[in-house]
Amino acid sequence: MLCALEQFAPLPLQESWDNAGLQVGLTEAEVSGALLCLDVNEQIVDEAIEKGCNLIVSHHPLLFRGLKQVSGTNYVQRCVMKAIKNDIAIVSMHTNMDNAKYGVNWKIAEKMGLTEVDFFAQKNVEGIEAGSGVVGQLPSPIPAMDFIQLLKKRFKVECVQCNELLARPIRKVAICGGAGDFLLDEAFAKGADAFVTGEMHYHQYFDYEQKIQICVIGHYQSEQYTVEVFRQIIEKGCSGIQTFIAETNTNPILYI
């Protein structure tokens, strides 16, 4: 299964600061079931145990930095301890899946109903076509408020953080799931009417009024459908392995 995931989103596609790939466990074990999730916390490991899964596939890595001790003093250490105790392997597909063709951002575009989807901020890694974001077209131009309502409906968000509503219709949309504010300038240069991402720093909203519609829908919300990409890869490359989309909502941010 790991081979199928890494063939779709090779590890060289990950950013230099990332830690995608095998996090905990052994790759030789026969997979009894795979739990697919965005983040790994103790509730996710418990859910894997309950569902009889000995593999967790997450988007965000459990381990970003090396552990200096495993004593249960934080949730990362406790997850590692519980996973090892229950013979559960943990694999994470992070920025390699963000940068892969038909990966995270392509799934976001699909949920928005975009066509003519392609990379912007394109890069080539060891001969592999990749990119940090995608751009596509809505079926027809729509007013800015209608576009925001579409985002709220498709991504089940309580609110969308925006700059001043664009006076012209929106047709061309640039996307970068998660913390994608670093691509705002490139999205504008690409001629996008709107830029959709999960996080945006305050000062980046300035001076874009009536230039591009900024739409920030939340980190978790923007990447929540990544588990569907995992399922498609596994079902195509590893038929017979049972997959479960996690029922545990790991989003730590509440809108009150």
Side-chain angles (χ1 to χ4, degrees):
M1 182 186 294
L2 185 58
C3 290
L5 289 165
E6 291 185 2
Q7 184 175 359
F8 183 94
L11 291 181
L13 295 186
Q14 71 179 308
E15 302 296 335
S16 59
W17 47 264
D18 201 7
N19 187 40
L22 182 65
Q23 305 278 295
V24 176
L26 304 173
T27 57
E28 295 82 6
E30 184 176 346
V31 178
S32 62
L35 183 66
L36 315 177
C37 59
L38 198 66
D39 312 282
V40 180
N41 60 17
E42 292 169 87
Q43 291 73 33
I44 286 289
V45 181
D46 287 337
E47 186 176 341
I49 295 168
E50 180 186 344
K51 287 180 164 61
C53 298
N54 64 350
L55 175 65
I56 295 171
V57 181
S58 71
H59 182 45
H60 297 137
L62 174 66
L63 303 175
F64 264 114
R65 303 169 185 85
L67 292 176
K68 294 186 177 180
Q69 62 178 19
V70 183
S71 60
T73 57
N74 58 45
Y75 87 94
V76 174
Q77 295 178 27
R78 291 191 293 272
C79 285
V80 170
M81 293 168 66
K82 185 175 287 190
I84 292 173
K85 183 177 180 180
N86 290 277
D87 295 320
I88 295 173
I90 301 173
V91 171
S92 300
M93 297 281 110
H94 192 210
T95 52
N96 54 322
M97 190 63 70
D98 290 333
N99 291 329
K101 192 167 187 176
Y102 307 120
V104 176
N105 293 311
W106 297 74
K107 177 58 70 172
I108 297 170
E110 176 190 313
K111 294 296 181 181
M112 291 167 55
L114 301 188
T115 61
E116 302 176 39
V117 179
D118 202 358
F119 288 120
F120 78 99
Q122 195 164 356
K123 59 181 93 172
N124 189 291
V125 182
E126 298 183 7
I128 304 168
E129 185 184 8
S132 299
V134 301
V135 64
Q137 303 276 345
L138 288 167
S140 59
I142 60 175
M145 182 57 76
D146 290 354
F147 179 68
I148 290 163
Q149 292 302 323
L150 181 149
L151 293 176
K152 292 178 71 173
K153 181 178 179 181
R154 299 286 172 85
F155 296 92
K156 304 169 188 175
V157 297
E158 293 89 343
C159 63
V160 177
Q161 287 184 313
C162 305
N163 59 345
E164 179 180 88
L165 291 184
L166 204 64
R168 70 174 188 270
I170 291 173
R171 180 76 186 271
K172 189 174 186 179
V173 181
I175 300 167
C176 183
D181 57 2
F182 66 99
L183 286 180
L184 177 59
D185 288 342
E186 291 189 60
F188 175 67
K190 195 71 176 178
D193 300 308
F195 177 57
V196 179
T197 189
E199 296 182 27
M200 180 74 63
H201 285 88
Y202 173 79
H203 288 96
Q204 289 180 278
Y205 287 87
F206 287 96
D207 202 31
Y208 278 101
E209 296 84 2
Q210 298 306 317
K211 294 180 180 178
I212 188 170
Q213 186 70 65
I214 298 171
C215 299
V216 180
I217 62 175
H219 196 124
Y220 179 94
Q221 290 89 339
S222 70
E223 297 182 327
Q224 62 185 296
Y225 299 116
T226 302
V227 292
E228 295 181 9
V229 182
F230 294 157
R231 172 170 271 177
Q232 290 164 358
I233 295 168
I234 294 168
E235 287 181 348
K236 182 179 179 180
C238 311
S239 59
I241 292 178
Q242 194 169 16
T243 59
F244 300 86
I245 291 178
E247 298 175 47
T248 303
N249 184 326
T250 58
N251 187 3
I253 300 172
L254 300 178
Y255 296 84
I256 298 175

